[in-house]
Amino acid sequence: MARLKVKVAPGSRRNALGPWMGETLKLKVQAPPEKGRANEAVITLLAAELGCPKSAVEVVAGATSRSKTVAVEGWTESELHRALS
């Protein structure tokens, strides 16, 4: 299970992958940061980009913060970095 650091910009115009900032990936999501909606949008966006089920993606740290750690089952960190670049 690989871990990925992300910085989330909730309330954006569209869902999109942003640039890498060192080892952190910036994500833009339309969902507001309330009641876990932005976290769900992060999971949905990453699962779609990686072509894996949503059940393989989980926010493991930073649930109430813009800076989050996401775990992705079945991937290595180098594979994630390549797939999301």
Side-chain angles (χ1 to χ4, degrees):
M1 181 178 298
R3 291 180 181 254
L4 174 68
K5 290 183 181 180
V6 297
K7 180 150 180 130
V8 180
S12 297
R13 287 180 180 249
R14 61 189 177 96
N15 293 337
L17 297 178
W20 283 93
M21 302 179 303
E23 289 297 311
T24 303
L25 178 64
K26 186 166 186 180
L27 298 178
K28 297 176 182 179
V29 295
Q30 290 178 316
E34 54 192 37
K35 298 182 181 172
R37 291 182 187 147
N39 289 340
E40 186 60 36
V42 166
I43 290 169
T44 301
L45 175 61
L46 287 175
E49 289 291 330
L50 295 170
C52 66
K54 290 194 307 184
S55 60
V57 182
E58 178 184 6
V59 175
V60 293
T64 59
S65 170
R66 288 177 186 242
S67 297
K68 304 179 185 302
T69 302
V70 179
V72 183
E73 197 153 336
W75 292 74
T76 65
E77 290 180 17
S78 60
E79 289 171 338
L80 281 178
H81 208 283
R82 245 191 331 271
L84 298 171
S85 292

Coordinates of all heavy atoms in Angstrom, one line a residue:
M1 N 0.9 -1.2 0.0 CA 0.0 0.0 0.0 C 0.9 1.2 0.0 O 1.7 1.4 0.9 CB -0.9 0.0 1.2 CG -1.8 1.2 1.3 SD -2.9 1.2 2.7 CE -3.9 -0.3 2.4
A2 N 0.7 2.1 -1.0 CA 1.5 3.3 -1.1 C 0.8 4.5 -0.5 O -0.4 4.5 -0.5 CB 1.8 3.6 -2.6
R3 N 1.6 5.4 0.0 CA 1.0 6.6 0.6 C 1.4 7.8 -0.3 O 2.5 7.8 -0.8 CB 1.5 6.8 2.0 CG 0.9 5.8 2.9 CD 1.4 6.0 4.4 NE 0.9 4.9 5.2 CZ -0.1 5.2 6.1 NH1 -0.6 6.4 6.2 NH2 -0.6 4.2 6.8
L4 N 0.5 8.7 -0.4 CA 0.6 9.9 -1.3 C 0.2 11.1 -0.5 O -0.9 11.1 0.1 CB -0.3 9.7 -2.5 CG -0.4 10.8 -3.5 CD1 0.9 11.0 -4.2 CD2 -1.5 10.5 -4.5
K5 N 1.1 12.1 -0.5 CA 0.7 13.4 0.2 C 0.0 14.3 -0.9 O 0.5 14.4 -2.0 CB 2.0 14.1 0.7 CG 2.5 13.3 1.9 CD 3.7 14.1 2.5 CE 4.3 13.3 3.6 NZ 5.4 14.0 4.2
V6 N -1.1 14.8 -0.5 CA -1.8 15.7 -1.4 C -2.2 17.0 -0.7 O -2.4 17.0 0.5 CB -3.1 15.1 -2.0 CG1 -2.8 13.9 -2.8 CG2 -4.1 14.7 -0.9
K7 N -2.3 18.1 -1.4 CA -2.8 19.4 -0.9 C -4.0 19.7 -1.7 O -4.0 19.7 -3.0 CB -1.8 20.5 -1.1 CG -2.3 21.8 -0.6 CD -1.2 22.6 -0.1 CE -1.8 23.9 0.4 NZ -1.3 24.3 1.7
V8 N -5.2 19.8 -1.1 CA -6.5 19.9 -1.7 C -6.9 21.4 -1.7 O -6.9 22.1 -0.7 CB -7.5 19.0 -1.0 CG1 -8.8 19.1 -1.7 CG2 -7.0 17.6 -0.9
A9 N -7.5 21.8 -2.9 CA -8.1 23.1 -3.1 C -9.6 22.8 -3.3 O -10.0 22.6 -4.4 CB -7.5 23.8 -4.2
P10 N -10.4 22.8 -2.2 CA -11.8 22.5 -2.3 C -12.5 23.7 -2.9 O -12.0 24.9 -2.8 CB -12.3 22.2 -0.9 CG -11.3 22.9 0.0 CD -10.0 22.9 -0.8
G11 N -13.7 23.5 -3.5 CA -14.5 24.6 -4.0 C -13.9 25.2 -5.3 O -14.2 26.3 -5.7
S12 N -13.2 24.4 -6.1 CA -12.6 24.8 -7.3 C -13.6 24.7 -8.4 O -14.7 24.1 -8.3 CB -11.4 23.9 -7.7 OG -10.4 24.1 -6.7
R13 N -13.3 25.3 -9.6 CA -14.3 25.3 -10.7 C -14.5 23.9 -11.3 O -15.5 23.5 -11.8 CB -13.8 26.2 -11.8 CG -13.9 27.6 -11.5 CD -13.4 28.4 -12.7 NE -13.5 29.8 -12.4 CZ -14.4 30.6 -13.0 NH1 -15.2 30.2 -14.0 NH2 -14.5 31.9 -12.7
R14 N -13.4 23.0 -11.2 CA -13.5 21.7 -11.7 C -12.6 20.7 -10.9 O -11.7 21.2 -10.2 CB -13.1 21.6 -13.2 CG -11.7 22.1 -13.5 CD -11.5 22.3 -15.0 NE -10.1 22.8 -15.2 CZ -9.1 22.0 -15.5 NH1 -9.2 20.7 -15.6 NH2 -7.9 22.5 -15.7
N15 N -12.8 19.5 -11.1 CA -11.9 18.5 -10.5 C -10.7 18.2 -11.4 O -10.9 18.0 -12.6 CB -12.7 17.1 -10.3 CG -13.8 17.2 -9.3 OD1 -13.8 18.1 -8.4 ND2 -14.8 16.3 -9.3
A16 N -9.5 18.4 -10.8 CA -8.4 18.2 -11.7 C -7.1 18.0 -10.8 O -7.0 18.4 -9.7 CB -8.1 19.5 -12.5
L17 N -6.2 17.3 -11.5 CA -4.8 17.1 -10.9 C -4.1 18.4 -11.1 O -4.1 19.0 -12.2 CB -4.1 16.0 -11.5 CG -4.7 14.6 -11.3 CD1 -3.8 13.6 -12.1 CD2 -4.8 14.2 -9.9
G18 N -3.4 18.9 -10.1 CA -2.5 20.0 -10.2 C -1.1 19.6 -10.4 O -0.8 18.4 -10.6
P19 N -0.2 20.6 -10.2 CA 1.2 20.2 -10.3 C 1.8 19.5 -9.1 O 1.2 19.6 -8.0 CB 1.9 21.6 -10.5 CG 1.0 22.5 -9.7 CD -0.4 22.0 -10.0
W20 N 2.9 18.9 -9.2 CA 3.6 18.3 -8.1 C 4.4 19.5 -7.4 O 5.0 20.3 -8.1 CB 4.6 17.2 -8.5 CG 3.9 15.9 -8.8 CD1 3.5 15.5 -10.0 CD2 3.6 14.9 -7.9 NE1 2.9 14.3 -9.9 CE2 3.0 13.9 -8.6 CE3 3.8 14.7 -6.5 CZ2 2.6 12.7 -8.0 CZ3 3.4 13.6 -6.0 CH2 2.8 12.6 -6.7
M21 N 4.3 19.5 -6.1 CA 5.1 20.5 -5.3 C 6.0 19.7 -4.4 O 5.7 19.3 -3.3 CB 4.1 21.3 -4.5 CG 3.1 22.1 -5.3 SD 1.9 23.1 -4.3 CE 1.2 21.9 -3.2
G22 N 7.2 19.3 -5.0 CA 8.1 18.4 -4.3 C 7.5 17.0 -4.3 O 7.2 16.5 -5.3
E23 N 7.2 16.5 -3.1 CA 6.6 15.2 -3.0 C 5.1 15.2 -2.8 O 4.5 14.2 -2.5 CB 7.3 14.4 -1.8 CG 8.7 14.0 -2.1 CD 8.8 13.0 -3.3 OE1 8.0 12.0 -3.3 OE2 9.6 13.2 -4.2
T24 N 4.5 16.4 -2.9 CA 3.1 16.6 -2.6 C 2.4 17.0 -3.9 O 2.8 17.8 -4.7 CB 2.9 17.8 -1.6 OG1 3.6 17.5 -0.4 CG2 1.4 18.0 -1.3
L25 N 1.3 16.3 -4.2 CA 0.5 16.5 -5.4 C -0.7 17.5 -5.1 O -1.4 17.2 -4.1 CB -0.1 15.2 -5.9 CG -1.0 15.3 -7.2 CD1 -0.2 15.8 -8.4 CD2 -1.6 13.9 -7.5
K26 N -0.9 18.5 -5.9 CA -2.0 19.4 -5.6 C -3.2 18.9 -6.4 O -3.1 18.5 -7.5 CB -1.6 20.8 -6.1 CG -2.7 21.8 -5.8 CD -2.2 23.2 -5.9 CE -3.3 24.2 -5.4 NZ -2.9 25.6 -5.6
L27 N -4.4 18.9 -5.7 CA -5.6 18.4 -6.3 C -6.6 19.6 -6.2 O -6.7 20.2 -5.2 CB -6.2 17.2 -5.6 CG -5.3 16.0 -5.6 CD1 -6.0 14.9 -4.8 CD2 -5.1 15.5 -7.0
K28 N -7.4 19.7 -7.2 CA -8.5 20.7 -7.2 C -9.8 19.9 -7.3 O -10.0 19.0 -8.1 CB -8.5 21.6 -8.4 CG -7.2 22.5 -8.5 CD -7.2 23.3 -9.8 CE -5.9 24.1 -9.8 NZ -5.8 24.9 -11.0
V29 N -10.7 20.2 -6.3 CA -12.0 19.5 -6.3 C -13.1 20.5 -6.2 O -13.0 21.5 -5.5 CB -12.1 18.4 -5.2 CG1 -11.1 17.3 -5.4 CG2 -11.9 19.0 -3.8
Q30 N -14.2 20.2 -6.9 CA -15.4 21.1 -6.8 C -16.1 21.1 -5.5 O -16.7 22.1 -5.1 CB -16.4 20.8 -7.9 CG -15.9 21.1 -9.3 CD -16.9 20.6 -10.4 OE1 -17.5 19.5 -10.3 NE2 -17.1 21.5 -11.4
A31 N -16.1 20.0 -4.8 CA -16.8 19.8 -3.6 C -16.4 20.8 -2.5 O -15.2 21.1 -2.4 CB -16.7 18.4 -3.1
P32 N -17.3 21.2 -1.7 CA -17.0 22.1 -0.6 C -16.4 21.3 0.6 O -16.6 20.1 0.7 CB -18.3 22.7 -0.1 CG -19.3 21.6 -0.5 CD -18.8 21.0 -1.8
P33 N -15.6 22.0 1.4 CA -14.9 21.2 2.5 C -15.9 21.1 3.7 O -15.6 21.6 4.8 CB -13.8 22.2 2.9 CG -14.3 23.5 2.6 CD -15.2 23.4 1.3
E34 N -17.0 20.4 3.5 CA -17.9 20.2 4.6 C -18.5 18.8 4.6 O -18.7 18.2 3.5 CB -19.0 21.2 4.6 CG -19.8 21.3 3.3 CD -20.7 22.5 3.1 OE1 -20.3 23.6 3.6 OE2 -21.7 22.3 2.5
K35 N -18.7 18.2 5.7 CA -19.3 16.8 5.9 C -18.6 15.8 5.0 O -19.2 14.8 4.5 CB -20.8 16.9 5.5 CG -21.6 17.8 6.4 CD -23.0 17.8 6.1 CE -23.8 18.7 7.0 NZ -25.2 18.9 6.6
G36 N -17.3 15.9 4.8 CA -16.5 14.9 4.1 C -16.6 14.9 2.6 O -16.2 14.0 1.9
R37 N -17.3 15.9 2.1 CA -17.6 15.9 0.6 C -16.3 16.1 -0.2 O -16.1 15.4 -1.2 CB -18.5 17.0 0.3 CG -19.9 16.8 0.8 CD -20.9 17.9 0.3 NE -22.2 17.7 0.9 CZ -23.0 18.7 1.3 NH1 -22.6 19.9 1.1 NH2 -24.1 18.4 1.8
A38 N -15.4 16.9 0.3 CA -14.1 17.1 -0.4 C -13.3 15.8 -0.3 O -12.6 15.5 -1.3 CB -13.3 18.3 0.2
N39 N -13.3 15.2 0.8 CA -12.5 13.9 0.9 C -13.1 12.9 -0.1 O -12.3 12.1 -0.7 CB -12.6 13.3 2.4 CG -11.8 14.2 3.3 OD1 -10.9 14.9 3.0 ND2 -12.1 14.0 4.6
E40 N -14.4 12.8 -0.2 CA -15.0 11.8 -1.1 C -14.6 12.2 -2.5 O -14.3 11.3 -3.4 CB -16.5 11.8 -0.9 CG -17.2 10.8 -1.8 CD -16.8 9.3 -1.5 OE1 -16.5 9.0 -0.3 OE2 -16.7 8.5 -2.4
A41 N -14.6 13.5 -2.8 CA -14.2 13.9 -4.2 C -12.7 13.6 -4.5 O -12.4 13.2 -5.6 CB -14.4 15.5 -4.3
V42 N -11.8 13.7 -3.5 CA -10.4 13.4 -3.6 C -10.3 11.9 -4.0 O -9.6 11.5 -4.9 CB -9.6 13.7 -2.3 CG1 -8.3 13.0 -2.3 CG2 -9.5 15.2 -2.2
I43 N -11.0 11.0 -3.2 CA -11.0 9.6 -3.5 C -11.5 9.3 -4.9 O -10.9 8.5 -5.6 CB -11.8 8.9 -2.4 CG1 -11.1 9.0 -1.0 CG2 -12.1 7.4 -2.8 CD1 -11.9 8.5 0.2
T44 N -12.6 9.9 -5.3 CA -13.2 9.6 -6.6 C -12.2 10.1 -7.7 O -12.0 9.3 -8.7 CB -14.5 10.4 -6.7 OG1 -15.4 9.9 -5.7 CG2 -15.2 10.1 -8.1
L45 N -11.6 11.3 -7.5 CA -10.7 11.8 -8.6 C -9.5 10.9 -8.7 O -9.1 10.5 -9.8 CB -10.3 13.2 -8.2 CG -9.2 13.9 -9.1 CD1 -9.7 14.0 -10.5 CD2 -8.8 15.2 -8.6
L46 N -8.9 10.5 -7.6 CA -7.7 9.7 -7.7 C -8.0 8.3 -8.2 O -7.2 7.8 -9.0 CB -7.0 9.6 -6.3 CG -6.3 10.8 -5.8 CD1 -5.8 10.6 -4.4 CD2 -5.1 11.1 -6.7
A47 N -9.1 7.7 -7.8 CA -9.5 6.4 -8.3 C -9.7 6.4 -9.8 O -9.3 5.5 -10.6 CB -10.7 5.9 -7.6
A48 N -10.3 7.5 -10.3 CA -10.6 7.6 -11.8 C -9.3 7.8 -12.5 O -9.1 7.2 -13.6 CB -11.5 8.8 -12.0
E49 N -8.4 8.6 -12.0 CA -7.1 8.9 -12.7 C -6.2 7.6 -12.7 O -5.5 7.4 -13.6 CB -6.3 10.0 -12.0 CG -6.9 11.4 -12.2 CD -6.8 11.9 -13.6 OE1 -5.8 11.5 -14.3 OE2 -7.7 12.6 -14.1
L50 N -6.3 6.8 -11.6 CA -5.5 5.6 -11.5 C -6.1 4.4 -12.2 O -5.5 3.4 -12.3 CB -5.1 5.3 -10.1 CG -4.2 6.4 -9.4 CD1 -4.2 6.1 -7.9 CD2 -2.9 6.4 -10.0
G51 N -7.4 4.5 -12.4 CA -8.1 3.3 -13.0 C -8.3 2.2 -12.0 O -8.3 1.0 -12.3
C52 N -8.5 2.6 -10.7 CA -8.6 1.6 -9.7 C -10.0 1.8 -9.0 O -10.5 2.9 -9.1 CB -7.5 1.6 -8.7 SG -7.3 3.1 -7.7
P53 N -10.5 0.8 -8.2 CA -11.8 1.0 -7.5 C -11.6 2.1 -6.4 O -10.5 2.2 -5.8 CB -12.1 -0.3 -7.0 CG -10.8 -1.1 -7.0 CD -10.0 -0.5 -8.1
K54 N -12.7 2.8 -6.1 CA -12.6 3.7 -5.0 C -12.3 3.1 -3.6 O -11.7 3.7 -2.8 CB -14.0 4.5 -4.9 CG -14.2 5.4 -6.0 CD -15.3 6.4 -5.8 CE -16.6 5.8 -5.4 NZ -17.7 6.8 -5.2
S55 N -12.6 1.8 -3.5 CA -12.3 1.1 -2.3 C -10.8 0.9 -2.0 O -10.4 0.7 -0.9 CB -13.0 -0.3 -2.2 OG -12.6 -1.0 -3.3
A56 N -10.0 1.1 -3.1 CA -8.6 1.0 -2.9 C -7.9 2.3 -2.5 O -6.7 2.3 -2.2 CB -8.0 0.5 -4.3
V57 N -8.7 3.4 -2.4 CA -8.1 4.7 -2.1 C -8.8 5.1 -0.8 O -10.0 5.0 -0.6 CB -8.5 5.7 -3.2 CG1 -7.9 7.1 -2.8 CG2 -8.0 5.2 -4.5
E58 N -7.9 5.6 0.2 CA -8.4 6.0 1.5 C -7.6 7.2 2.0 O -6.4 7.2 1.9 CB -8.2 4.8 2.4 CG -8.7 5.0 3.9 CD -8.4 3.8 4.8 OE1 -7.7 2.8 4.3 OE2 -8.8 3.9 5.9
V59 N -8.3 8.1 2.6 CA -7.7 9.2 3.3 C -7.3 8.7 4.7 O -8.1 8.4 5.5 CB -8.6 10.5 3.4 CG1 -7.9 11.6 4.2 CG2 -8.9 11.0 2.0
V60 N -6.0 8.6 5.0 CA -5.5 8.1 6.2 C -5.0 9.1 7.2 O -4.9 8.8 8.4 CB -4.4 7.0 6.0 CG1 -4.9 5.8 5.3 CG2 -3.2 7.6 5.3
A61 N -4.8 10.4 6.8 CA -4.4 11.4 7.7 C -4.9 12.8 7.1 O -4.9 12.9 5.9 CB -2.9 11.4 7.9
G62 N -5.2 13.7 7.9 CA -5.6 15.0 7.5 C -7.0 15.1 7.0 O -7.3 16.0 6.1
A63 N -8.0 14.4 7.5 CA -9.3 14.4 7.1 C -10.0 15.8 7.1 O -10.8 16.1 6.3 CB -10.2 13.4 7.8
T64 N -9.6 16.6 8.1 CA -10.2 17.9 8.2 C -9.2 19.0 7.8 O -9.4 20.2 8.1 CB -10.6 18.2 9.7 OG1 -9.5 18.1 10.5 CG2 -11.7 17.2 10.1
S65 N -8.1 18.7 7.1 CA -7.1 19.6 6.7 C -7.0 19.6 5.2 O -7.4 18.7 4.5 CB -5.8 19.2 7.3 OG -4.7 19.9 6.7
R66 N -6.4 20.7 4.6 CA -6.2 20.7 3.2 C -5.0 19.8 2.8 O -4.9 19.3 1.7 CB -5.9 22.1 2.7 CG -7.1 23.0 2.7 CD -6.7 24.4 2.3 NE -7.9 25.3 2.4 CZ -8.4 25.9 1.4 NH1 -7.9 25.8 0.2 NH2 -9.4 26.7 1.6
S67 N -4.1 19.6 3.7 CA -3.0 18.7 3.5 C -3.4 17.3 4.0 O -3.7 17.1 5.2 CB -1.7 19.2 4.3 OG -1.3 20.4 3.7
K68 N -3.4 16.3 3.1 CA -3.8 15.0 3.5 C -2.8 14.0 3.1 O -2.0 14.2 2.2 CB -5.1 14.7 2.7 CG -6.2 15.7 3.0 CD -7.5 15.3 2.2 CE -8.5 16.4 2.4 NZ -9.0 16.7 3.7
T69 N -2.9 12.8 3.7 CA -2.2 11.6 3.3 C -3.2 10.6 2.8 O -4.1 10.3 3.5 CB -1.3 11.1 4.4 OG1 -0.4 12.1 4.9 CG2 -0.5 9.9 3.9
V70 N -3.0 10.1 1.6 CA -3.9 9.2 1.0 C -3.2 7.8 0.8 O -2.0 7.8 0.3 CB -4.4 9.7 -0.4 CG1 -5.4 8.7 -1.0 CG2 -5.1 11.0 -0.2
A71 N -3.8 6.7 1.1 CA -3.2 5.4 0.9 C -3.9 4.8 -0.3 O -5.1 4.9 -0.4 CB -3.4 4.5 2.1
V72 N -3.1 4.2 -1.2 CA -3.6 3.5 -2.4 C -3.2 2.1 -2.4 O -1.9 1.8 -2.4 CB -3.2 4.2 -3.7 CG1 -3.9 3.6 -4.9 CG2 -3.6 5.7 -3.6
E73 N -4.1 1.2 -2.3 CA -3.7 -0.3 -2.3 C -3.4 -0.8 -3.7 O -4.0 -0.4 -4.7 CB -4.9 -1.1 -1.7 CG -4.5 -2.4 -1.3 CD -5.5 -2.9 -0.2 OE1 -6.1 -2.1 0.5 OE2 -5.5 -4.2 -0.1
G74 N -2.3 -1.6 -3.7 CA -1.9 -2.2 -5.0 C -1.0 -1.4 -5.8 O -0.7 -1.8 -6.9
W75 N -0.5 -0.3 -5.3 CA 0.5 0.6 -6.0 C 1.7 0.8 -5.1 O 1.6 0.8 -3.9 CB -0.2 1.9 -6.3 CG -1.3 1.9 -7.3 CD1 -2.5 1.4 -7.1 CD2 -1.3 2.3 -8.6 NE1 -3.3 1.5 -8.2 CE2 -2.5 2.1 -9.2 CE3 -0.3 2.9 -9.4 CZ2 -2.8 2.4 -10.5 CZ3 -0.6 3.2 -10.7 CH2 -1.8 3.0 -11.3
T76 N 2.8 1.1 -5.8 CA 4.0 1.5 -5.1 C 4.1 3.1 -5.2 O 3.4 3.6 -6.1 CB 5.3 0.9 -5.7 OG1 5.5 1.4 -7.0 CG2 5.3 -0.6 -5.7
E77 N 4.9 3.7 -4.4 CA 4.9 5.2 -4.4 C 5.5 5.6 -5.8 O 5.1 6.6 -6.3 CB 5.7 5.7 -3.2 CG 5.0 5.5 -1.9 CD 5.7 6.0 -0.7 OE1 6.6 6.8 -0.8 OE2 5.3 5.6 0.4
S78 N 6.5 4.9 -6.3 CA 7.1 5.3 -7.6 C 6.0 5.2 -8.7 O 6.0 6.0 -9.6 CB 8.4 4.6 -7.9 OG 8.1 3.2 -8.0
E79 N 5.2 4.1 -8.7 CA 4.2 3.9 -9.7 C 3.1 5.0 -9.6 O 2.7 5.5 -10.6 CB 3.5 2.6 -9.5 CG 4.3 1.4 -9.8 CD 3.7 0.0 -9.4 OE1 2.8 0.0 -8.5 OE2 4.0 -1.0 -10.0
L80 N 2.8 5.4 -8.4 CA 1.8 6.5 -8.2 C 2.4 7.8 -8.8 O 1.7 8.5 -9.5 CB 1.5 6.8 -6.7 CG 0.5 5.8 -6.1 CD1 0.4 6.2 -4.6 CD2 -0.8 5.9 -6.7
H81 N 3.6 8.1 -8.5 CA 4.2 9.3 -9.0 C 4.2 9.4 -10.5 O 3.9 10.4 -11.1 CB 5.7 9.5 -8.4 CG 6.1 10.9 -8.3 ND1 6.5 11.6 -9.3 CD2 6.2 11.6 -7.2 CE1 6.9 12.8 -8.9 NE2 6.7 12.9 -7.6
R82 N 4.6 8.2 -11.1 CA 4.6 8.2 -12.6 C 3.2 8.3 -13.2 O 3.0 9.0 -14.2 CB 5.2 6.8 -13.0 CG 6.5 6.9 -13.7 CD 7.0 5.6 -14.4 NE 6.6 4.4 -13.7 CZ 7.3 3.8 -12.8 NH1 8.4 4.3 -12.3 NH2 6.9 2.6 -12.2
A83 N 2.2 7.6 -12.6 CA 0.9 7.6 -13.1 C 0.2 8.9 -13.0 O -0.7 9.3 -13.8 CB 0.1 6.5 -12.4
L84 N 0.6 9.7 -12.0 CA -0.1 11.0 -11.8 C 0.7 12.2 -12.3 O 0.4 13.3 -12.0 CB -0.4 11.1 -10.3 CG -1.4 10.1 -9.7 CD1 -1.4 10.2 -8.2 CD2 -2.7 10.2 -10.3
S85 N 1.8 11.9 -13.0 CA 2.6 13.0 -13.6 C 2.1 13.4 -14.9 O 1.5 12.7 -15.6 CB 4.0 12.6 -13.6 OG 4.5 12.5 -12.3

